[in-house]
Amino acid sequence: MSARIPARRGTARTPAALLAAALLVTGCSARDDDASAPASSPSATTPHGYVEGAKESAEQQSRLLLNDPGTGNTRVLDLITGTTHKVSGTKDTARLTTDGRFGFLHTADGTRVLDAGSWMVDHGDHVHYYRAAIRAVGDLPAGSGAQVRSDAAVTAVTDEDGRTALYDRTALEKGRTGSPATLPGTHTAAVVPYAEHLLALTDDGEGTAELTVYDRDGKRVATPGARCEDPRGDAVTRRGVVLGCADGALLVREDDGEFTAERIPYDGDVPAKERATAFHHRAGSDTLTAPAGDRAVWVLDVTDRTWTRVPTGPVVAANTAGEGSPLLVLQADGSLHGYDIATGKHLTRTERLLEDAAARGGTGPVIEVDRSRAYLNDPEGRRVYEVDYNDNLRIARTFDLDIEPALMVETGR
């Protein structure tokens, strides 16, 4: 079922910097993205897509951000050059997340922000890829339970109590956190920036959460009439924002100022322990994966609005590039397996890659996927595997490291 309510597109006023950032990044205009760049501004003949202080490239500039919570050792692995960069350490990291450019290292005392220096700007009909210097940005006060979501203009940080701070993303790009604005009220899940607005789920007092759309002033502009029981997990796709709920998912879309909320239910009852609560996918893909308990994986096709449960055996991590690519599953036997998403048929497997594939205390191996390769971290073996998922899971490269990469995210996408 779908609900449509027009949203007013008022001019954002608080903070003014968020509006300015939004206006700058909606087109291909020049921006100052690096605080170390020269002070002089580009000439009137600035090339299309120019970003001061950054180098534009024809291909994706992927980098892996790696952290060992025990020692605090932190590295950035440049997948174009194969070079590993040492950066200042962060110890006792509970989680490591990214918005495609910035890494967020979540600890009990706060969240450290690291600019990995690689990102992309997607304009729909074309994409720009950039690389710049790696640098520390600063610390956010929200602790290990914080949920961070970004678009091109704003970074929303929702803490464990449901309070949300809004940071000017252009300030982060210039190497500082700045002073955030605050979104009114408290929320039961991550606040997701989308279509120059903010999507939030608020407890309705009846055990479910109501979807509300805010502008960047924090003014409520739409209430599509959709509710989500026990919200957990979210993902931004080309077809809208997916929000995980107890009975399936909500797909929230915007079209010419109107927001819709469409339910994508499971095909039947699903036990709580087998729900999809954490989505993984290739950036830009409309195919999402999530563990379905301990022995299967959910695949959500956002285009077709369908869920598929793929029985796999013991699951440690899963992901897919979508669009006809295999479902990748790291299983407890330490090998990577490939499955046909449509049929669930087992296609192939690698030899045993990890001696210890089990997750430990919320950390452990993950699978990161981009347009041509997948990456699997081996903490105990101190290495990262690069996998060609279109060539029978061939191991294309192995990166040996001087740390245990228990936590890993990919930037540049």
Side-chain angles (χ1 to χ4, degrees), residues 337-366:
H337 296 245
Y339 292 83
D340 183 276
I341 290 177
T343 66
K345 179 182 178 182
H346 186 270
L347 301 174
T348 187
R349 60 174 290 180
T350 66
E351 63 182 2
R352 186 176 186 180
L353 300 176
L354 280 67
E355 291 297 322
D356 181 10
R360 298 177 295 273
T363 68
V366 296

Short mmCIF file of all heavy atoms in Angstrom, two decimals, residues 337-366:
data_model
loop_
_atom_site.label_atom_id
_atom_site.label_comp_id
_atom_site.label_asym_id
_atom_site.label_seq_id
_atom_site.Cartn_x
_atom_site.Cartn_y
_atom_site.Cartn_z
N HIS A 337 31.40 -18.27 -0.67
CA HIS A 337 30.50 -19.01 -1.53
C HIS A 337 29.72 -18.06 -2.42
O HIS A 337 29.38 -16.95 -2.01
CB HIS A 337 29.51 -19.84 -0.69
CG HIS A 337 30.16 -20.91 0.13
ND1 HIS A 337 29.93 -22.25 -0.08
CD2 HIS A 337 31.02 -20.84 1.17
CE1 HIS A 337 30.63 -22.96 0.79
NE2 HIS A 337 31.30 -22.13 1.57
N GLY A 338 29.40 -18.52 -3.64
CA GLY A 338 28.58 -17.75 -4.56
C GLY A 338 27.28 -18.46 -4.83
O GLY A 338 27.25 -19.67 -5.06
N TYR A 339 26.15 -17.70 -4.79
CA TYR A 339 24.82 -18.26 -5.03
C TYR A 339 24.11 -17.45 -6.10
O TYR A 339 24.31 -16.23 -6.22
CB TYR A 339 23.98 -18.22 -3.75
CG TYR A 339 24.45 -19.13 -2.65
CD1 TYR A 339 25.47 -18.73 -1.79
CD2 TYR A 339 23.88 -20.38 -2.46
CE1 TYR A 339 25.91 -19.56 -0.76
CE2 TYR A 339 24.31 -21.22 -1.44
CZ TYR A 339 25.33 -20.80 -0.60
OH TYR A 339 25.77 -21.63 0.41
N ASP A 340 23.27 -18.11 -6.87
CA ASP A 340 22.41 -17.42 -7.81
C ASP A 340 21.28 -16.76 -7.02
O ASP A 340 20.55 -17.43 -6.27
CB ASP A 340 21.84 -18.39 -8.83
CG ASP A 340 20.98 -17.70 -9.87
OD1 ASP A 340 19.79 -17.47 -9.59
OD2 ASP A 340 21.50 -17.38 -10.95
N ILE A 341 21.14 -15.47 -7.17
CA ILE A 341 20.16 -14.73 -6.37
C ILE A 341 18.73 -15.16 -6.70
O ILE A 341 17.90 -15.31 -5.81
CB ILE A 341 20.33 -13.22 -6.58
CG1 ILE A 341 21.64 -12.73 -5.96
CG2 ILE A 341 19.16 -12.44 -5.99
CD1 ILE A 341 21.92 -11.27 -6.17
N ALA A 342 18.45 -15.37 -7.98
CA ALA A 342 17.07 -15.68 -8.39
C ALA A 342 16.63 -17.06 -7.95
O ALA A 342 15.49 -17.26 -7.52
CB ALA A 342 16.94 -15.53 -9.90
N THR A 343 17.53 -18.05 -8.06
CA THR A 343 17.14 -19.44 -7.79
C THR A 343 17.63 -19.97 -6.45
O THR A 343 17.14 -20.99 -5.96
CB THR A 343 17.68 -20.36 -8.90
OG1 THR A 343 19.12 -20.37 -8.84
CG2 THR A 343 17.24 -19.87 -10.26
N GLY A 344 18.63 -19.31 -5.86
CA GLY A 344 19.23 -19.81 -4.63
C GLY A 344 20.22 -20.92 -4.87
O GLY A 344 20.76 -21.49 -3.91
N LYS A 345 20.49 -21.25 -6.12
CA LYS A 345 21.40 -22.34 -6.44
C LYS A 345 22.84 -21.99 -6.06
O LYS A 345 23.31 -20.89 -6.31
CB LYS A 345 21.34 -22.66 -7.93
CG LYS A 345 22.27 -23.79 -8.37
CD LYS A 345 22.17 -24.02 -9.86
CE LYS A 345 23.14 -25.10 -10.31
NZ LYS A 345 23.08 -25.31 -11.79
N HIS A 346 23.51 -22.94 -5.43
CA HIS A 346 24.93 -22.75 -5.09
C HIS A 346 25.75 -22.85 -6.37
O HIS A 346 25.66 -23.83 -7.12
CB HIS A 346 25.37 -23.82 -4.08
CG HIS A 346 26.77 -23.61 -3.58
ND1 HIS A 346 27.87 -24.15 -4.18
CD2 HIS A 346 27.23 -22.90 -2.51
CE1 HIS A 346 28.95 -23.81 -3.51
NE2 HIS A 346 28.59 -23.05 -2.49
N LEU A 347 26.56 -21.83 -6.65
CA LEU A 347 27.31 -21.75 -7.89
C LEU A 347 28.77 -22.16 -7.74
O LEU A 347 29.30 -22.91 -8.56
CB LEU A 347 27.25 -20.32 -8.45
CG LEU A 347 25.86 -19.77 -8.76
CD1 LEU A 347 25.98 -18.30 -9.17
CD2 LEU A 347 25.20 -20.59 -9.86
N THR A 348 29.42 -21.66 -6.72
CA THR A 348 30.86 -21.90 -6.59
C THR A 348 31.32 -21.56 -5.18
O THR A 348 30.56 -20.98 -4.39
CB THR A 348 31.65 -21.05 -7.61
OG1 THR A 348 33.03 -21.41 -7.58
CG2 THR A 348 31.52 -19.57 -7.30
N ARG A 349 32.54 -21.91 -4.87
CA ARG A 349 33.14 -21.55 -3.60
C ARG A 349 34.64 -21.47 -3.77
O ARG A 349 35.22 -22.05 -4.68
CB ARG A 349 32.80 -22.58 -2.52
CG ARG A 349 33.28 -23.98 -2.81
CD ARG A 349 33.07 -24.93 -1.65
NE ARG A 349 33.97 -24.62 -0.55
CZ ARG A 349 33.97 -25.32 0.59
NH1 ARG A 349 33.14 -26.32 0.77
NH2 ARG A 349 34.81 -25.01 1.56
N THR A 350 35.26 -20.71 -2.88
CA THR A 350 36.72 -20.63 -2.88
C THR A 350 37.27 -21.71 -1.94
O THR A 350 36.52 -22.40 -1.24
CB THR A 350 37.19 -19.26 -2.36
OG1 THR A 350 36.82 -19.13 -0.97
CG2 THR A 350 36.56 -18.12 -3.15
N GLU A 351 38.57 -21.84 -1.94
CA GLU A 351 39.20 -22.64 -0.90
C GLU A 351 39.02 -21.92 0.43
O GLU A 351 38.55 -20.78 0.48
CB GLU A 351 40.69 -22.81 -1.21
CG GLU A 351 41.45 -21.49 -1.21
CD GLU A 351 42.92 -21.66 -1.55
OE1 GLU A 351 43.34 -22.79 -1.83
OE2 GLU A 351 43.63 -20.64 -1.54
N ARG A 352 39.42 -22.56 1.50
CA ARG A 352 39.32 -21.92 2.80
C ARG A 352 40.27 -20.72 2.85
O ARG A 352 41.47 -20.87 2.68
CB ARG A 352 39.68 -22.91 3.92
CG ARG A 352 39.45 -22.36 5.31
CD ARG A 352 39.72 -23.41 6.37
NE ARG A 352 39.36 -22.93 7.70
CZ ARG A 352 39.50 -23.63 8.80
NH1 ARG A 352 40.00 -24.87 8.75
NH2 ARG A 352 39.14 -23.14 9.97
N LEU A 353 39.69 -19.53 3.08
CA LEU A 353 40.47 -18.30 3.10
C LEU A 353 40.80 -17.83 4.51
O LEU A 353 41.85 -17.26 4.75
CB LEU A 353 39.72 -17.19 2.36
CG LEU A 353 39.40 -17.45 0.88
CD1 LEU A 353 38.56 -16.31 0.32
CD2 LEU A 353 40.69 -17.62 0.08
N LEU A 354 39.88 -18.07 5.44
CA LEU A 354 40.05 -17.61 6.82
C LEU A 354 40.10 -18.81 7.76
O LEU A 354 39.23 -19.69 7.71
CB LEU A 354 38.92 -16.69 7.24
CG LEU A 354 38.98 -15.22 6.79
CD1 LEU A 354 38.85 -15.07 5.30
CD2 LEU A 354 37.90 -14.41 7.51
N GLU A 355 41.12 -18.83 8.60
CA GLU A 355 41.20 -19.90 9.60
C GLU A 355 40.13 -19.71 10.68
O GLU A 355 39.60 -20.67 11.22
CB GLU A 355 42.60 -19.91 10.24
CG GLU A 355 43.70 -20.36 9.29
CD GLU A 355 43.51 -21.79 8.82
OE1 GLU A 355 43.07 -22.64 9.63
OE2 GLU A 355 43.77 -22.06 7.63
N ASP A 356 39.85 -18.45 10.99
CA ASP A 356 38.85 -18.14 12.01
C ASP A 356 37.88 -17.14 11.40
O ASP A 356 38.16 -15.95 11.33
CB ASP A 356 39.50 -17.57 13.26
CG ASP A 356 38.49 -17.25 14.35
OD1 ASP A 356 37.32 -17.66 14.20
OD2 ASP A 356 38.86 -16.60 15.34
N ALA A 357 36.73 -17.64 10.92
CA ALA A 357 35.78 -16.78 10.23
C ALA A 357 34.72 -16.20 11.16
O ALA A 357 33.89 -15.41 10.73
CB ALA A 357 35.09 -17.56 9.12
N ALA A 358 34.75 -16.58 12.42
CA ALA A 358 33.69 -16.15 13.35
C ALA A 358 33.83 -14.68 13.70
O ALA A 358 34.94 -14.15 13.85
CB ALA A 358 33.74 -16.99 14.61
N ALA A 359 32.69 -14.02 13.85
CA ALA A 359 32.69 -12.64 14.35
C ALA A 359 32.96 -12.66 15.84
O ALA A 359 32.56 -13.57 16.55
CB ALA A 359 31.34 -11.99 14.06
N ARG A 360 33.66 -11.62 16.32
CA ARG A 360 34.05 -11.57 17.72
C ARG A 360 33.63 -10.22 18.31
O ARG A 360 34.16 -9.19 17.94
CB ARG A 360 35.57 -11.75 17.88
CG ARG A 360 36.08 -13.09 17.38
CD ARG A 360 37.61 -13.16 17.48
NE ARG A 360 38.25 -12.21 16.60
CZ ARG A 360 38.54 -12.48 15.33
NH1 ARG A 360 38.20 -13.63 14.81
NH2 ARG A 360 39.14 -11.58 14.59
N GLY A 361 32.65 -10.31 19.23
CA GLY A 361 32.23 -9.09 19.93
C GLY A 361 31.71 -8.00 19.02
O GLY A 361 31.96 -6.82 19.25
N GLY A 362 30.99 -8.38 17.97
CA GLY A 362 30.44 -7.39 17.05
C GLY A 362 31.40 -6.98 15.95
O GLY A 362 31.04 -6.22 15.05
N THR A 363 32.65 -7.46 16.00
CA THR A 363 33.59 -7.19 14.93
C THR A 363 33.91 -8.50 14.23
O THR A 363 33.58 -9.58 14.71
CB THR A 363 34.90 -6.58 15.46
OG1 THR A 363 35.60 -7.57 16.24
CG2 THR A 363 34.61 -5.37 16.34
N GLY A 364 34.56 -8.41 13.11
CA GLY A 364 34.92 -9.62 12.39
C GLY A 364 34.90 -9.40 10.90
O GLY A 364 34.80 -8.27 10.43
N PRO A 365 34.97 -10.46 10.14
CA PRO A 365 35.04 -10.32 8.68
C PRO A 365 33.77 -9.71 8.10
O PRO A 365 32.66 -9.96 8.57
CB PRO A 365 35.22 -11.77 8.20
CG PRO A 365 35.73 -12.52 9.38
CD PRO A 365 35.10 -11.86 10.57
N VAL A 366 33.95 -8.90 7.06
CA VAL A 366 32.84 -8.33 6.29
C VAL A 366 33.18 -8.47 4.82
O VAL A 366 34.33 -8.74 4.45
CB VAL A 366 32.58 -6.86 6.64
CG1 VAL A 366 32.15 -6.70 8.09
CG2 VAL A 366 33.82 -6.01 6.36
#
